[in-house]
Amino acid sequence: MSLSKMRKLKLSMIVDHGVLILGSLFMILPLVMLLQMTTIPDTEIIKTGPTLKIGDQFDDNLYKAMFEASGFAGENSGLSMLKNSLILGIGFAVGKILIGMLAAYAIVYFRLRFATLAFWLIFTTLLLPLEVRILPSYEVVQWLGMLNTYQGLIIPLIASATATFFFRQFFRSVPEELVEAARIDGAGPVKFFIDILMPLSKTMIAAMFIIMFVYGWNQYLWPTMITTDEDMYTLVRGIKQIVQVLEGAVVPEYGRSNVLALVAVIPPVLVVVFFQSWFVKGLTESDK
Amino acid sequence: MKRAGFTTVSLPVFLLLPQLVIIAVFFYWPTVVALQSSFYLQDPFGFGSTFVGLQNYADLFTSREYHRIASFTVVFSVLVTFFSLAIALLLAVKADKILRGAKTYRTLLMWVYAVAPPVAGFIAVIMFNQSWGPLTQFFGMFNYTYLVGVNFNDTAFAMVLASVWKQVPVNFIFFLSGLQSIPRSVREAALIDNASAMGRFWDVTFPLLAPTGFFLLIINITYSLFDTFGIVDTVVKGEPGNNPMTLVYKVYVDGFRGNDLGGSSAQSVILMVLVLALTIFQFRLIDRRIHYT
């Protein structure tokens, strides 16, 4: 390779890294800013805004955010919101996977006369997101007396068949011979599901769980409507209140608010980062 | 269905039941209610309703405010879709090319996927704080007084910026996985045929990525329409006033705050038709995508 060609290659590599570094900074700087603001006193923030200085207020703010009650009724501490977020994230993911797997198993592995009808009834739900029927959904939940309950928060979000669709695709790709062999060996449908299909689906279940957990945890509009009791707030729902409280305050508590925003962000981010390969596989495969 | 399926009848019914009950109660019932109440005018105090036919729809189509919000939603969606796709594509192409540090870059560029939209909006509110926001100060250097929540365009830009920030990672993940699935032989052949990297990108890589791009286009439009609710709501601090808002936000404001159930339902139905058209379009593209690759 000639010298000028090598120089060109080197220059293009510098440009590539430069673009990627700029992109990474664009992604990460806003969160660094939130974090910096939690380390300096609120009285300083309202004068200087975010700076490069690192102060010593983080512990205080963390304590205030997690353990001291905030809000108008004074009933939601960071800890109680964290609990609600976990219940929503995990409850949603588990519920969706469980219901989706069972339904997909029934559709793929059984000879049912109304299988086609069930299929269409279920998959029509993929066409319309919750947002377009948000008010009537609220009325239904109200009518069922499920406002400010975990059931009311979680179950209506499950009424979309993304997981069912995903598992149906996956089950269809499982070799036919497996079920034949299982039948010859005398395994019934329940045994086949538990002993053969479940272990085969492990990676898929993990991938689905990550995607669904993040989706459930990050819900905003639905929890905003369904939960009016402050002790039912999730962290993401609490952001709305944070913004409103900050607006009205003389010395807005940015330190505490930013800790709460960070706590709302960190668990799903950790899940996505640590289980990256499962997550990426699940995301890119589920939409094919 | 598998050829060698089980023939039990009661078990599959039992397995399907939870799913069917949930979608009946929380999908079909609300959808029917939305359709139905779009033809009625509700008494604002909750005393019954009167059938008004297509009046709610007629009101919307002649309402100037609705037109304004609809056109803003279109502009907003186009901007968010275009910039999040373009930035993600550039980053994915670079991340696919380099050898050292590829995994670190991948992590750094994708984690924002897990950030909730209202947090993105909250960050925008801080960035554009009137007196000390870093971006307000940045614009101040050019003698521009940036006013989020007061100036329509300034607020809209803050919304677009937060929405793009939040959406780049998803597109990046899909583009990168699309790039990595281009066979080695194709790349090598292109390398022999075409010396310029730019030429190779437009002649070989870009057409091969087109199916991913089409698919992402729909995903991004749907995102701009629906998932940006949390961003819009935090940036306007729950007080829309004369600020820009999207069609979904309007459904919420009219129905939940204004108690205009009929009008809000008619808006929901219009959105339903819009999503339905988008999704059908998407399914047809996915069908075609199989022939592509």
Side-chain angles (χ1 to χ4, degrees), chain B residues 205-282:
Chain B
T205 318
F206 193 73
L208 283 174
L209 270 184
T212 311
F214 278 132
F215 163 76
L216 283 178
L217 190 67
I218 309 288
I219 297 281
N220 280 265
I221 295 173
T222 321
Y223 161 81
S224 321
L225 288 174
F226 298 105
D227 300 333
T228 51
F229 178 90
I231 294 175
V232 175
D233 194 37
T234 30
V235 169
V236 303
K237 299 175 184 118
E239 295 301 330
N242 288 321
N243 282 314
M245 61 171 134
T246 56
L247 289 170
V248 170
Y249 199 76
K250 171 95 173 136
V251 172
Y252 165 79
V253 169
D254 285 2
F256 207 58
R257 298 249 194 90
N259 278 325
D260 174 14
L261 260 174
S264 170
S265 297
Q267 291 178 36
S268 293
V269 175
I270 292 173
L271 282 175
M272 282 183 198
V273 174
L274 194 67
V275 196
L276 224 55
L278 275 173
T279 323
I280 290 166
F281 186 60
Q282 177 189 5

Side-chain angles (χ1 to χ4, degrees), chain B residues 129-147:
Chain B
N129 180 291
Q130 195 56 72
S131 37
W132 45 255
L135 286 175
T136 311
Q137 288 178 339
F138 174 78
F139 282 103
M141 292 195 311
F142 304 97
N143 283 324
Y144 184 80
T145 318
Y146 206 97
L147 294 166

